[in-house]
Amino acid sequence: MITNHETASVAQNLTTNPHLLAWVKEMAALTKPDRIVWCDGSEEEKERLTRQAVEEGVLIPLNPEKRPGSYYARSNPNDVARVEHLTFICTPTREEAGPTNNWMAPEEAYSKLGKLFDGSMRGRTMYVVPYIMGLPGSPFSKVGVELTDSIYVVLNMRIMTRMGKVALEQLGDSNDFNRGLHSMLDLDPEKRFICHFPQDNTIWSIGSNYGGNVLLGKKCLALRIGSYLGRKEGWLAEHMLILEVENPQGERRYVAAAFPSACGKTNFAMLIPPAKFAGWKVRTIGDDIAWMRIGEDGRLWAVNPENGYFGVAPGTNEKSNPNAMASLRKDTIFTNVALTADGDVWWEGMTKEPPAGLTDWKGNPWTPESGEKAAHPNSRFTTPMANNPALSPRAYDPQGVPISAIIFGGRRSDTVPLVLQSFDWTHGVFMGATMGSETTAAAVGQVGVVRRDPMAMLPFCGYDMGEYFAHWLEIGKRLKNPPLIFQVNWFRKDENGDFIWPGFGENMHVLKWILDRADGKASAKETPIGYVPEDDAIDAEAAGITKDQLRKAMAIDAEEWKREFELQEELFQKLARTMPKELVELREKLRARLG
Ligand code: GTP
Ligand code: SPV
Ligand code: MN
């Protein structure tokens, strides 16, 4: 057993960083763990902690013949998604956080959470988890250290980030690291808070043990703190997948796309081109987060700061996403899915017929008559990106990849057409800024209601949203060779409530048009609100739908769009103080064009 005062000597094998040692000591004095364990990221450590997690009942081993190296975890049923209403940006002033974020004064947050953290790790182990968001050795990477009393968090962070010694080596003696403190406490939602202190590069998370609330490198550092640092340092931290497309001539292009949570990023990033696209290849760079900078060549360059995927399980199957299914064959942690009788996993949409003898995500026997889902709608897999058969080697390039096109996409049953190209960068920023999307199970709250989710960043922007749009406009001015910007919608429905567009692999039709536009190879039709493909640019038959269905998917209805512009009013009102005047003026111009 290692007592608090021995912290420094134990860490000595791994680091002598005085800032880190002092901070760990201070946090240990607050949370009062029985033990402190410094994580080195080794295989030996993984085996030891996994064995321990199994002994503690945190992880259930899956059938090693079916899912080698894979484990199953159930969260507390009150703790199944991100909690936006309990997530705070703690800037010195409320204005800095902006009207779309919950705000708490830093002193108040430190004091309130400090009381909860006081002794919260008594009887527990504090794990010191050093990690890198980004590539080891890259000047664009950020080091974080998460102190947590959750072995589940440690094992997930090990998959999602570059964790352990590698991070301490990158940090050296520097004081420039994100300070993350996490305790499960007693998983009481009344004592659950996710607080960000951008000025201190600090995150305090308490009372949860689920995904984006607690894997602090992901939404908290890479997006909320990241976006704040991005503005300060002149780059962008975005809720975007990054993919690579190779044409039959072997030319490669890169695309970044922002869709809100559970709106198709992982699926799009792992797309397999259908038969019509013989010779085309799509490869994944990242599935959730992009950090983008202006390169010396005046183009926008993107890296995926993550090392794994924390993906939505339901709906994933051999037809919709074979690359994800292949990624999940080994070394994966599954959370809140259903268990089969032979020690494997299952979720809604994996197979048509559920297997007999399922146990649901709450641990109860399940049959189709149970009247509930077997897997939670936000059940997830955590899997190393190296498992992805379609991973691009460029995912390991510390310089990142040059972006030819940016896509914004929401989940919209109506109004928004299959694809729309912006007139220019400012209009593209407007498209992203005004994007609406139906809410999903990825966050606690009502599902299926349209809300404005600017650039899919509503829950993730660490400062005022109007300032964020201004930052985007500023980046655009500095790009000599900016990517083209598009809007897509895979989710439009017909009169019967069925999706019109087949989606998934067939999204390649849209992706190809987008890249042809970027390469100057395709013409387009101008509408009052953007450019759309020429009549036969997208092959309905090859996509498996009728020409009439395709027309419906692509339709722009002036009445629906007038309503859409009305719906944007709330956002413009809310952000009136800082909304860039370019966007206000453009809105009026577009409205006038609609008549
Ligand atoms: P986060 O991890 O929460 O950020 O989600 P994500 O944006 O990566 O979403 P993901 O790819 O996991 O998809 C979420 C859900 O949307 C899954 O149930 C998918 O099956 C479904 N989905 C993804 N792409 C499509 C599509 O093109 N069409 C339709 N109809 N559904 C899709
Ligand atoms: C999202 O909600 O956008 C996710 C899952 O990617 S979580 O990490 O829980 O935020
Ligand atoms: Mn996400």
Side-chain angles (χ1 to χ4, degrees), residues 529-587:
I529 52 167
Y531 299 115
V532 296
E534 301 276 10
D535 280 343
D536 288 316
I538 289 178
D539 184 345
E541 196 188 336
I545 57 173
T546 65
K547 282 206 155 129
D548 192 46
Q549 285 172 309
L550 181 63
R551 249 194 307 274
K552 276 188 192 153
M554 305 226 288
I556 294 172
D557 181 298
E559 291 312 310
E560 281 187 330
W561 273 92
K562 281 184 205 164
R563 220 174 307 138
E564 185 69 10
F565 275 81
E566 289 314 314
L567 290 174
Q568 296 165 1
E569 183 63 24
E570 192 190 345
L571 184 79
F572 278 76
Q573 293 269 341
K574 203 170 191 177
L575 297 176
R577 196 179 72 87
T578 53
M579 182 65 96
K581 71 170 191 322
E582 290 100 310
L583 300 187
V584 176
E585 286 166 9
L586 181 57
R587 178 158 175 256

Side-chain angles (χ1 to χ4, degrees), residues 62-70 318 321-332 334 344 383-384 387 389:
L62 293 172
N63 184 333
E65 259 139 52
K66 307 214 151 200
R67 303 271 168 193
S70 299
E318 288 297 347
N321 194 347
N323 284 324
M325 293 303 282
S327 306
L328 307 183
R329 271 183 211 138
K330 58 171 190 179
D331 301 330
T332 298
F334 295 89
D344 200 3
T383 199
N387 276 8

Side-chain angles (χ1 to χ4, degrees), residues 275-569:
K276 164 161 179 155
F277 297 93
W280 289 78
K281 294 189 183 81
V282 173
R283 301 188 190 90
T284 317
I285 307 283
D287 84 322
D288 198 53
I289 296 172
W291 282 357
M292 305 198 285
R293 293 174 191 269
I294 301 168
E296 277 162 24
D297 59 1
R299 289 191 290 177
L300 191 63
W301 289 71
V303 296
N304 165 21
E306 300 191 280
N307 197 34
Y309 311 126
F310 184 61
V312 177
T316 309
N317 61 57
E318 288 297 347
K319 200 163 160 275
S320 67
N321 194 347
N323 284 324
M325 293 303 282
S327 306
L328 307 183
R329 271 183 211 138
K330 58 171 190 179
D331 301 330
T332 298
I333 298 173
F334 295 89
T335 303
N336 289 344
V337 299
L339 270 186
T340 66
D342 57 358
D344 200 3
V345 288
W346 189 84
W347 48 77
E348 276 73 15
M350 182 200 263
T351 55
K352 269 216 177 74
E353 295 300 321
L358 284 177
T359 307
D360 73 10
W361 68 278
K362 290 180 186 159
N364 301 318
W366 186 91
T367 68
E369 288 73 47
S370 294
E372 281 181 58
K373 301 249 193 260
H376 188 277
N378 192 36
S379 55
R380 300 235 169 201
F381 52 78
T382 319
T383 199
M385 75 175 187
N387 276 8
N388 178 2
L391 184 69
S392 164
R394 293 290 292 274
Y396 298 107
D397 187 336
Q399 294 302 321
V401 293
I403 299 297
S404 298
I406 289 174
I407 306 175
F408 293 112
R411 184 182 281 268
R412 289 298 296 272
S413 303
D414 51 42
T415 313
V416 181
L418 184 60
V419 60
L420 192 60
Q421 183 193 340
S422 68
F423 295 121
D424 55 26
W425 181 270
T426 303
H427 181 216
V429 172
F430 176 87
M431 271 181 176
T434 55
M435 191 167 92
S437 192
E438 289 151 25
T439 51
T440 66
V444 170
Q446 206 187 338
V447 169
V449 294
V450 175
R451 69 168 182 185
R452 295 299 117 189
D453 188 350
M455 295 172 172
M457 283 288 279
L458 181 70
F460 307 121
C461 186
Y463 62 100
D464 180 89
M465 211 75 198
E467 307 268 13
Y468 168 72
F469 302 152
H471 181 49
W472 263 82
L473 293 174
E474 180 58 33
I475 293 275
K477 291 193 188 101
R478 289 169 51 205
L479 285 167
K480 278 205 296 284
N481 210 336
L484 301 187
I485 303 183
F486 298 80
Q487 179 168 24
V488 301
N489 178 21
W490 313 144
F491 299 95
R492 204 167 190 174
K493 290 182 177 167
D494 62 18
E495 313 77 62
N496 304 321
D498 295 322
F499 293 122
I500 304 173
W501 177 250
F504 302 101
E506 303 300 342
N507 293 334
M508 184 67 200
H509 293 269
V510 177
L511 182 55
K512 174 158 184 302
W513 183 75
I514 286 172
L515 287 171
D516 283 348
R517 289 295 290 164
D519 278 346
K521 290 188 202 158
S523 57
K525 287 194 294 192
E526 189 172 338
T527 78
I529 52 167
Y531 299 115
V532 296
E534 301 276 10
D535 280 343
D536 288 316
I538 289 178
D539 184 345
E541 196 188 336
I545 57 173
T546 65
K547 282 206 155 129
D548 192 46
Q549 285 172 309
L550 181 63
R551 249 194 307 274
K552 276 188 192 153
M554 305 226 288
I556 294 172
D557 181 298
E559 291 312 310
E560 281 187 330
W561 273 92
K562 281 184 205 164
R563 220 174 307 138
E564 185 69 10
F565 275 81
E566 289 314 314
L567 290 174
Q568 296 165 1
E569 183 63 24

Side-chain angles (χ1 to χ4, degrees), residues 82 218-219 223 239 259-262 265 287-288 380 460:
R82 281 183 294 101
K218 195 174 177 59
K219 301 303 163 121
L223 290 180
H239 191 203
F259 310 157
S261 301
K265 286 182 301 302
D287 84 322
D288 198 53
R380 300 235 169 201
F460 307 121

